[in-house]
Amino acid sequence: MTGLEIAATPRSAMLAPAAMQHIAVVDDEADIRDTVGEYLELKGFRVTRCDGGATLRALLETDTVDLVLLDVAMPEEDGLSIARHLSANTDVAFVMVTAAGEVVDRIVGLELGADDYLAKPVDLRELLARIKTVLRRGARRAAKSGTDAVETPQQVKFGNCTLDTDAHRLSGPDGADIPITAMEFDLLRAFAEHPNRVLSRDQLLDMAHNRGWEPFDRSIDIRIARLRRKVESNPAKPQVIRTVRGAGYMFALAG
């Protein structure tokens, strides 16, 4: 996570404590872990410094973590591999840090379910703002799910495919598993919870846990295109996940 930009912050301008929310800072460079960790601790967070994937996994087995700050470029196990593990095995939010201009890493990270990403050099004030946004939206979603959660059937038909919302599994007409990412599953579940309703890109990004979106970010279109290749008989003329021009997308539930 090299390339930090550190700006002095007057103590009078420091934010209120963050109720000791727990952040894991994963980076192979000790000075980066310490710099970021000390800054976040000053802002009221509890921070655990991890030098790689093995240390992070051990932490997750013994403690609750609210957010992982994950460097992409690490010499042993890289951040993308760790992100795959987080998406497949946990519900922990994570923010990825990638080298400026590494568009491929950014897209892959988002596909793996990253909640946000930051390009180097990292300004610590911006880092704090992004972290707070991810945590705030996660808290709102948790509160909403406890009060007005939508009842979703366990089995939902997407064309000839079937989504099992309990098993996090998409299967084809022959019953064979169709590989999907955590982000793709979240998108399908969002559609399943709102059938025959137009959902904007903003709504889909929020429902699919990608809280760190940008106003002109069209990465949602990439994900929808990939989903169509998996659930549509003819992806060029989609009938299951339809485009509503100027508005967003709609899951056309048959029957």
Side-chain angles (χ1 to χ4, degrees), residues 173-185:
D174 59 354
D177 283 356
I178 299 174
I180 54 174
T181 67
M183 185 68 172
E184 288 172 342
F185 171 78

Side-chain angles (χ1 to χ4, degrees), residues 154-170:
Q154 180 181 351
Q155 304 284 336
V156 182
K157 295 291 290 184
F158 281 83
N160 292 324
C161 301
T162 302
L163 179 72
D164 188 321
T165 57
D166 286 349
H168 288 220
R169 175 175 177 263
L170 180 68

Side-chain angles (χ1 to χ4, degrees), residues 19 27 29 45 49 61 66-67 78 88 109 111 118 139 142 171 193-194 218 228 237 242-243:
D27 196 294
E29 298 186 38
F45 292 96
R49 298 152 176 81
E61 289 178 0
D66 296 293
L67 182 143
D78 66 25
E111 287 292 333
L118 280 167
S171 58
E193 291 174 349
H194 304 88
R218 309 290 283 190
R228 283 172 169 166
K237 296 181 179 179
R242 300 179 180 177
T243 299

Side-chain angles (χ1 to χ4, degrees), residues 4-238:
L4 290 172
E5 291 184 352
I6 305 173
T9 305
R11 288 192 176 272
S12 60
M14 287 184 180
L15 302 174
M20 296 304 289
Q21 290 168 304
H22 189 190
I23 296 177
V25 177
V26 184
D27 196 294
D28 61 302
E29 298 186 38
D31 58 336
I32 301 300
R33 295 195 301 270
D34 289 340
T35 299
V36 174
E38 289 171 7
Y39 179 80
L40 293 176
E41 285 166 346
L42 283 173
K43 299 302 182 182
F45 292 96
R46 180 162 67 98
V47 178
T48 299
R49 298 152 176 81
C50 301
D51 59 5
T55 307
L56 176 63
R57 290 184 180 90
L59 172 66
L60 293 173
E61 289 178 0
T62 59
D63 203 348
T64 299
V65 175
D66 296 293
L67 182 143
V68 175
L69 182 63
L70 181 59
D71 188 27
V72 171
M74 292 187 287
E76 295 184 6
E77 182 181 12
D78 66 25
L80 295 178
S81 175
I82 298 171
R84 290 187 184 92
H85 173 80
L86 292 174
S87 294
N89 299 284
T90 78
D91 293 323
V92 178
F94 60 97
V95 175
M96 304 191 75
V97 180
T98 183
E102 292 293 335
V103 177
V104 173
D105 284 349
R106 172 190 172 189
I107 292 174
V108 173
L110 292 173
E111 287 292 333
L112 292 173
D115 296 86
D116 202 352
Y117 86 99
L118 280 167
K120 301 173 184 175
V122 175
D123 182 289
L124 291 177
R125 294 168 300 180
E126 180 183 4
L127 172 64
L128 176 64
R130 299 290 189 102
I131 287 173
K132 291 181 65 181
T133 297
V134 169
L135 292 173
R136 184 168 58 247
R137 291 197 179 184
R140 284 204 304 264
R141 189 176 63 256
K144 183 177 180 181
S145 66
T147 57
D148 61 348
V150 179
E151 186 69 26
T152 306
Q154 180 181 351
Q155 304 284 336
V156 182
K157 295 291 290 184
F158 281 83
N160 292 324
C161 301
T162 302
L163 179 72
D164 188 321
T165 57
D166 286 349
H168 288 220
R169 175 175 177 263
L170 180 68
S171 58
D174 59 354
D177 283 356
I178 299 174
I180 54 174
T181 67
M183 185 68 172
E184 288 172 342
F185 171 78
D186 286 341
L187 279 172
L188 289 174
R189 182 170 56 187
F191 281 124
E193 291 174 349
H194 304 88
N196 302 314
R197 173 180 163 187
V198 178
L199 299 174
S200 69
R201 291 179 177 84
D202 185 344
Q203 290 172 312
L204 285 169
L205 285 165
D206 196 33
M207 292 174 185
H209 303 189
N210 185 13
R211 277 82 68 182
W213 64 284
E214 299 174 6
F216 301 104
D217 187 5
R218 309 290 283 190
S219 62
I220 191 72
D221 300 327
I222 298 173
R223 297 187 178 94
I224 295 296
R226 292 180 179 176
L227 278 177
R228 283 172 169 166
R229 289 198 289 270
K230 297 177 181 182
V231 304
E232 299 278 0
S233 299
N234 183 359
K237 296 181 179 179

